[in-house]
Amino acid sequence: MTRRVSRKCKGICSFVLVVLLVFYIEVLSYIVNTQDWTPFPTRSPQQKENGDDGPLRVLVVADPQIIGENNELAFFGLFTRWDADRYLHRNFLLAQHHTQPHVVAFLGDLFDEGYGATDAEYRRYTRRFREVFQLPRKQDPSPIEYVFLPGDNDIGGEGVEPIDVVKLRWFNQTFGDFKKELWVQRGSVSAQFVKLNLLLPEEYQNPTKGREHLLNGAQPDVRIILSHTSLVQFKTNAVQTAFSLDTQILDQLRPQLIFSAHSHHSAYTQLEGSEMVKMTDKFLMAHKHPSRQWALEGVPFLGYTAKPKSEITADDTLQLQTSATITLQFDKGSRTVHEITVPTCSYRMGTPHPGFGAFHLYKNGTLEYTVLWLPSRLNQLYTYLGIYLIMKFSVIFWALFKAASYIASQVKNKTNFFILSSGKNSYHKV
């Protein structure tokens, strides 16, 4: 009786532990993860009374790639799409609450299979996308400005893949004019977001056509180019030559900052005239991976003065490893251009650490950017797999043990019976 109660208690305890682990993974881990995010500035009561919104706050979403219906196994796809959508939804709501953005910018590849989708599939993908990111309807007022760019998975255009004109029209009707600039004024801070898409042949051949008015009108504090693909690293002569001091992009658009996506990883590139220095490989993950070593040559990065590589000290390297924020200073008239590549926010892209980009911009031209790194869903799923295998092998081991015990008891009983029978026969003979 005591042994039976003990086994029952062990079973209940094991069940409770599994439930608590699932609750932590599916609920608490997302909340706990936000403690690693860089705090965003909050308005003081006096600022709120004066109607001052403080710095301009922007949340950047790259490559969410809502999973499609054709490249997944039929029944298994129901679960994978649900899980990927839920992961994006939870983390986006937390990021939105954390940053309280004035602007949310989507940098393309909204869908994973948008390019090959039928009309009905495209509508379903759009509905799921709006539900995941809690987007308001067009006719509903919203305190947040939304910016959408098409990516190659939405309209085509990567490599020799042609642009699908129908998909381009659908995207334009669903998410608004993908070429229209957005001017945002919050308090004393103004920023202009210029959408540039070099996947389109007309923009690739002449990226400044139709944007001549940018030089003649009022000038913002900061002009930011939004592009799905990296402009600095785009492998075409037209764009490579476009980033010399006398080029059309710098001379006519005059951006201080470029945000791009597509690669699924974080990267930072600074262009000073024709000189380019680059830092990649998840540069803002240093606070999570202090063992990662790198050196940065000649770039005023993270608020300290640029130094030659030979003069970078251990303290400088430590600062790169522990700081979670990049601070940039924009000066009007400067030829320095910064490009920040934002990582994907979808764990289905195979990157172990997805994230959202976020920054706040001040009137004096200071911009503070960080990556809001997300929990590794792949590690969570591996944990579930490990628990399943442990439970499975535990059940198999228990069954084998019980079977072996039963066989041993049967053998023992038969042996005892044989011994007793032999003894009785000997007694009768005597």
Side-chain angles (χ1 to χ4, degrees):
M1 182 67 179
T2 304
R3 186 178 300 176
R4 184 179 300 175
V5 172
S6 177
R7 286 200 301 266
K8 187 176 181 180
C9 289
K10 288 181 180 178
I12 294 175
C13 290
S14 299
F15 176 76
V16 170
L17 286 176
V18 171
V19 170
L20 290 176
L21 180 61
V22 172
F23 178 74
Y24 175 79
I25 290 176
E26 298 300 329
V27 179
L28 294 183
S29 65
Y30 295 91
I31 300 173
V32 171
N33 180 72
T34 62
Q35 303 305 308
D36 291 333
W37 290 353
T38 302
F40 259 47
T42 56
R43 290 183 298 165
S44 65
Q46 184 178 0
Q47 286 178 314
K48 293 180 180 180
E49 291 178 3
N50 297 335
D52 184 1
D53 280 341
L56 176 65
R57 300 183 296 274
V58 180
L59 181 63
V60 188
V61 182
D63 301 283
Q65 296 194 211
I66 297 296
I67 302 301
E69 302 171 356
N70 298 314
N71 295 338
E72 305 283 306
L73 297 176
F75 178 76
F76 189 64
L78 295 175
F79 170 76
T80 57
R81 287 191 292 272
W82 169 79
D83 189 68
D85 288 358
R86 190 170 59 100
Y87 178 85
L88 290 172
H89 177 72
R90 285 185 174 183
N91 285 301
F92 178 77
L93 291 183
L94 289 171
Q96 192 174 47
H97 176 75
H98 181 79
T99 57
Q100 297 294 305
H102 300 113
V103 179
V104 177
F106 292 87
L107 299 185
D109 276 0
L110 310 186
F111 311 130
D112 188 48
E113 300 177 21
Y115 178 69
T118 64
D119 191 358
E121 290 171 343
Y122 194 92
R123 293 181 186 277
R124 289 197 293 271
Y125 298 163
T126 302
R127 183 172 62 253
R128 283 171 51 204
F129 179 83
R130 290 189 173 279
E131 291 173 353
V132 166
F133 294 102
Q134 296 289 286
L135 299 179
R137 294 178 299 178
K138 289 183 178 180
Q139 63 271 26
D140 293 340
S142 172
I144 301 174
E145 298 276 4
Y146 292 92
V147 185
F148 302 95
L149 272 69
D152 54 281
N153 283 9
D154 304 316
I155 61 172
E158 184 176 30
V160 297
E161 190 177 64
I163 294 291
D164 189 324
V165 179
V166 174
K167 298 297 191 304
L168 189 61
R169 185 171 63 250
W170 285 353
F171 192 96
N172 198 35
Q173 292 173 351
T174 305
F175 298 105
D177 189 352
F178 56 87
K179 291 186 178 180
K180 185 179 180 181
E181 300 90 18
L182 174 66
W183 186 291
V184 180
Q185 180 81 40
R186 283 295 183 273
S188 59
V189 184
S190 64
Q192 187 180 47
F193 296 87
V194 179
K195 308 173 193 176
L196 193 62
N197 198 327
L198 297 182
L199 298 173
L200 303 176
E202 64 270 21
E203 299 223 341
Y204 162 76
Q205 295 168 4
N206 189 355
T208 60
K209 184 179 180 181
R211 296 186 171 94
E212 295 82 1
H213 63 282
L214 296 178
L215 288 181
N216 303 324
Q219 297 299 305
D221 295 325
V222 175
R223 177 169 290 142
I224 300 172
I225 288 182
L226 302 177
S227 172
H228 176 63
T229 55
S230 169
L231 297 187
V232 174
Q233 302 172 58
F234 203 86
K235 303 301 182 183
T236 66
N237 291 332
V239 179
Q240 287 178 355
T241 58
F243 277 89
S244 60
L245 287 178
D246 56 349
T247 64
Q248 47 187 334
I249 288 183
L250 287 185
D251 282 347
Q252 295 188 29
L253 300 185
R254 295 181 183 174
Q256 287 86 22
L257 180 64
I258 302 167
F259 276 100
S260 64
H262 187 62
S263 70
H264 299 167
H265 295 286
S266 292
Y268 168 81
T269 306
Q270 177 176 302
L271 189 70
E272 187 72 46
S274 59
E275 298 294 327
M276 183 176 73
V277 285
K278 180 184 174 187
M279 187 176 183
T280 59
D281 195 19
K282 298 174 279 296
F283 65 95
L284 288 178
M285 201 177 290
H287 63 295
K288 287 187 177 248
H289 295 275
S291 61
R292 190 184 298 275
Q293 297 290 330
W294 52 56
L296 184 65
E297 181 177 2
V299 182
F301 201 70
L302 297 174
Y304 73 88
T305 306
K307 298 180 181 180
K309 186 175 182 179
S310 58
E311 297 180 12
I312 292 179
T313 65
D315 291 337
D316 297 323
T317 306
L318 181 62
Q319 185 176 4
L320 288 172
Q321 292 173 346
T322 56
S323 178
T325 304
I326 170 176
T327 301
L328 302 176
Q329 182 67 44
F330 302 124
D331 299 317
K332 290 187 176 181
S334 172
R335 289 293 185 175
T336 301
V337 177
H338 309 269
E339 180 176 278
I340 293 176
T341 302
V342 182
T344 178
C345 58
S346 172
Y347 77 88
R348 286 297 305 275
M349 298 305 103
T351 54
H353 298 283
F356 295 109
F359 68 87
H360 42 272
L361 176 66
Y362 295 88
K363 174 64 178 177
N364 62 0
T366 300
L367 179 141
E368 293 179 344
Y369 171 81
T370 187
V371 175
L372 307 177
W373 296 108
L374 307 182
S376 175
R377 183 61 175 168
L378 295 177
N379 288 344
Q380 293 176 347
L381 295 177
Y382 289 146
T383 301
Y384 285 140
L385 178 61
I387 293 173
Y388 168 75
L389 293 177
I390 291 173
M391 294 177 65
K392 182 177 181 179
F393 285 116
S394 297
V395 171
I396 293 174
F397 177 79
W398 179 82
L400 291 175
F401 176 77
K402 295 295 290 184
S405 299
Y406 175 78
I407 293 172
S409 64
Q410 291 298 312
V411 170
K412 184 178 180 180
N413 291 337
K414 288 183 179 181
T415 302
N416 292 337
F417 177 78
F418 176 77
I419 293 173
L420 291 173
S421 299
S422 299
K424 288 180 178 180
N425 293 336
S426 299
Y427 173 77
H428 289 300
K429 288 180 180 179
V430 174

